[in-house]
């Protein structure tokens, strides 16, 4: 009798734990569903509001006081140029720093400081970078509210991302590759430049794309350096039809970028401008989704293909 | 028979010379790479130097005591008050609302993905969450102002058009992917044999998740939470767009208020002359923000050390 009591007791305990298990499973699925549905609702709403404004003219018109003829020409040109500067500054610096930390750095105090510092920089709010840029680039270096100042600001912001990605990519290269190169008499730099970096290029590229996707959407630091929001002209083209064919005048020009343009439209009370904001937001989201998607695809592919 | 000429002796010093040049080149390259790495330390020093030097000028005009205790923040008015408390309260309230959403949801999703979800669901959900993490914050600001606020107003009819509540809610949704993704990574890194041991003595998946996997990955989970907190505290655009920008000393999320970050945005949108007290206020505000996030980072570091499990 006592024995069956015990068994029954154990059975109720098991049943209770299984109920909890089921409950946790259902809670997990519901939480995931709520998150997914919220995002779908948000983006659905933006697509409904913004889609009708997404015409060819929207991409080829300057911003305007009349919402129906306003467009994002100066914004996307500005974003492209700022990204050029950002990539030109952040990629060499970030990759070089990553290579140093992974391949050269001795285990000492300074290396440890640099490593802790890179981790901490990644956690600094973006608006702080804006303040740094305002004080350093805009006033002390006298760059003003230019494309160059904005590009450098965003470069500082994504530097930790590029460094961390480079280190991770390099770390996945087996030591045998390096030993092989050394055995043939290659110097350290030859090993790094001819083998380690090229083999980890796809991983580094993934990090660069993720960093640039982050930079494209950053608004706060650009506002902080005092970027104008109403720009109805384009900077001079970098490519000229006369000698020397390349011009760097655009670096010092005032500009606007996509997120600033969107912010500007959101802040207007008229509903028509808010539809413009939705359309600009849609373009912005598609740009970042495309870049991040490419990065995820690259990484997924890497994981599958390369077997050392 | 043709005699093979002996190798010229004069080649040796030349190749040695070559070696020396090669060595020099190696050293120069190493130095350049070191400078690139050290540049990140320079950025940190530049940030600290700039914030402190501008703030010092600010504190010549305003006493530290007033800054910390005055309950009004009206630096651009004639009757100027420089109390940081209203901005801190706005930051705290919006962050608390955001974390009340992001931490529970993020954790539940992470437990589900790590311990319950079938392989395919995880392989689809992980990149999806990562994509959501990459969406610009200004877009979330749009959602907060033009979608979430009107929706909340149908539930709470006296909710103003700008409120910390809708900004905080959207911020919370925005942070879910970060928290869930990092928490899940931490939980996945717990070795399989710990789970197998737990299953072997008859534990359910839920028991295993809560009593074995989560304690074992506590340091990683703490890091994820800390990251969530510092993102909420430093978030700018969502609050700037959806919470209004009036500095109010409020603890009620149903009201509009300014945060430390939105004040900086507000000042930057106008044009304050370089070197004025108003210009220096944003650096004092920035220093406060940096110190706040620094406290959380140090806390995170200590938590990671305290709960680190070695297998």
């Amino acid at each position: 009798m006592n024995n069956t009591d015990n068994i029954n007791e154990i059975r109720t305990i098991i049943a209770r734990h299984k109920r909890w298990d089921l409950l946790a499973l259902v809670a997990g699925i519901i939480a995931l569903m709520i998150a997914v549905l919220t995002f779908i609702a948000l983006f659905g709403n933006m697509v409904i509001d913004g889609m009708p404004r997404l015409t060819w003219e929207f991409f080829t018109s300057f911003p305007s006081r009349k919402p129906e003829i306003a467009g994002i020409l100066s914004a996307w040109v500005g974003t492209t140029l700022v990204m050029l500067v950002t990539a030109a500054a952040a990629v060499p610096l970030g990759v070089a720093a990553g290579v140093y930390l992974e391949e050269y750095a001795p285990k000492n105090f300074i290396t440890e400081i640099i490593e802790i510092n890179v981790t901490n920089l990644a956690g600094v709010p973006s608006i702080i970078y804006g303040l740094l840029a305002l004080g350093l680039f805009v006033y002390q270096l006298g760059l003003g509210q230019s494309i160059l100042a904005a590009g450098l600001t965003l470069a500082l912001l994504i530097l930790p991302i590029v460094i961390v990605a480079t280190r991770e990519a390099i770390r996945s290269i087996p030591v045998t590759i390096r030993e092989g190169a050394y055995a043939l008499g290659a110097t350290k730099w030859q090993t790094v430049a001819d083998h380690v970096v090229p083999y980890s290029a796809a991983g580094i590229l993934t990090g660069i794309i993720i960093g640039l996707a982050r930079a494209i959407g950053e608004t706060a630091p650009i506002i902080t350096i005092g970027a104008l929001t109403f720009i109805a002209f384009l900077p001079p083209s970098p490519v000229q039809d006369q000698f020397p064919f390349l011009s760097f005048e655009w670096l010092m020009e005032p500009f606007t970028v996509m997120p600033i343009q969107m912010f500007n439209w959101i802040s207007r009370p008229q509903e028509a401008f808010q539809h413009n904001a939705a359309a600009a937001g849609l373009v912005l989201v598609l740009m970042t989704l495309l870049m991040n998607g490419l990065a995820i695809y690259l990484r997924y592919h890497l994981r599958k293909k390369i077997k050392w | 028979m043709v005699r093979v000429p002996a190798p010229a002796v004069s080649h040796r010093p030349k190749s040695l010379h070559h070696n020396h040049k090669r060595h020099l080149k190696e050293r120069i390259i190493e130095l350049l790479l070191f400078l690139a790495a050290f540049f990140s330390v320079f950025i940190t020093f530049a940030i600290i130097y700039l914030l402190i030097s501008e703030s010092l000028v600010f504190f010549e005009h305003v006493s530290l005591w007033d800054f910390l205790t005055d309950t009004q923040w009206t630096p651009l008015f004639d009757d100027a008050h420089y109390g940081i408390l209203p901005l801190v309260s706005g930051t705290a309230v919006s962050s608390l609302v955001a974390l009340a959403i992001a931490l529970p949801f993020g954790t539940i999703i992470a437990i589900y993905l790590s311990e319950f979800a079938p392989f395919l669901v995880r392989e689809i959900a992980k990149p999806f969450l990562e994509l959501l993490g990459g969406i610009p914050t200004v877009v979330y600001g749009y959602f907060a102002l033009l979608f979430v606020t009107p929706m909340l107003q149908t539930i709470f009819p006296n909710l103003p058009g700008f409120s910390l509540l809708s900004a905080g809610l959207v911020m919370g949704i925005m942070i879910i992917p970060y928290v869930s993704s990092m928490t899940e990574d931490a939980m996945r890194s717990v070795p399989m044999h710990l789970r197998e041991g737990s299953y072997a003595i008859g534990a359910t998946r839920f028991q295993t998740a809560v009593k074995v996997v989560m304690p074992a990955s506590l340091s990683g989970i703490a890091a994820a939470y800390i990251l969530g907190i510092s993102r909420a505290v430093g978030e700018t655009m969502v609050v700037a767009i959806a919470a209004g920008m009036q500095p109010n000393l409020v603890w009620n999320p149903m009201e509009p208020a300014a945060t430390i970050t939105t004040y900086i945005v507000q000042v930057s949108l106008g044009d304050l002359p370089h070197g004025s007290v108003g210009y220096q206020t944003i650096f004092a505000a920035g220093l406060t923000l940096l110190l706040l996030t620094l406290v959380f980072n140090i806390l995170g570091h200590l938590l990671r050390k305290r709960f680190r499990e070695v297998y």
Side-chain angles (χ1 to χ4, degrees), chain B residues 195-229:
Chain B
R195 288 191 189 86
E196 284 158 356
S198 171
Y199 293 143
I201 54 168
T204 61
R205 286 176 296 182
F206 180 62
Q207 283 175 310
T208 307
V210 173
K211 298 197 169 148
V212 176
V213 179
M214 284 182 74
S217 53
L218 208 55
S219 78
I221 295 176
Y225 283 13
I226 295 286
L227 181 86
I229 294 172

Side-chain angles (χ1 to χ4, degrees), chain A residues 17 21 24 29 39 42-43 45 49 100 104 117 127-128 131 139 185 187 189 223-224 263 274 278 292 299, chain B residues 22 26 29 33-34 40-41 44 50 112 116 130 132 135 140 142-143 146-147 205-207 268 279 286:
Chain A
H17 285 155
D21 199 49
I29 293 175
F39 283 113
L42 295 178
F43 291 109
N45 177 259
D49 278 354
Y100 177 79
Y104 285 86
N117 185 59
I127 196 152
I128 301 282
L131 288 176
Y139 290 116
T187 63
W189 174 243
I223 292 180
T224 311
F263 174 64
Q274 289 164 1
N292 280 311
R299 192 168 51 207
Chain B
R22 203 161 110 149
E26 289 286 317
I29 286 169
L33 293 177
F34 169 77
S40 69
V41 179
T44 306
L50 203 80
Y112 171 72
F116 288 86
E130 258 178 73
L132 291 177
I135 287 169
Y140 286 105
Y142 169 87
F143 294 147
L146 299 173
F147 187 77
R205 286 176 296 182
F206 180 62
Q207 283 175 310
S268 310
Y279 171 85

Side-chain angles (χ1 to χ4, degrees), chain B residues 192-270:
Chain B
M192 209 56 197
H193 60 79
L194 287 185
R195 288 191 189 86
E196 284 158 356
S198 171
Y199 293 143
I201 54 168
T204 61
R205 286 176 296 182
F206 180 62
Q207 283 175 310
T208 307
V210 173
K211 298 197 169 148
V212 176
V213 179
M214 284 182 74
S217 53
L218 208 55
S219 78
I221 295 176
Y225 283 13
I226 295 286
L227 181 86
I229 294 172
S230 48
R231 279 205 68 94
V233 170
E235 171 47 41
T236 311
M237 293 320 291
V238 177
V239 244
I241 292 169
M245 297 201 216
Q246 304 111 297
N248 288 330
L249 183 61
V250 289
W251 299 105
N252 179 4
M254 308 277 274
E255 284 180 42
T259 64
I260 301 175
T261 52
T262 57
Y263 172 71
I264 300 173
V265 164
Q266 190 190 17
V267 169
S268 310
L269 285 174

Side-chain angles (χ1 to χ4, degrees), chain A residues 11-30, chain B residues 108 111-112 115-116 202-211:
Chain A
R11 282 199 176 126
T12 42
I13 290 174
I14 291 176
R16 194 173 68 225
H17 285 155
K18 284 201 165 160
R19 265 201 306 280
W20 272 105
D21 199 49
L22 191 69
L23 211 65
L25 174 67
V26 172
I29 293 175
I30 289 177
Chain B
I108 293 173
I111 292 178
Y112 171 72
E115 305 300 315
F116 288 86
T204 61
R205 286 176 296 182
F206 180 62
Q207 283 175 310
T208 307
V210 173
K211 298 197 169 148

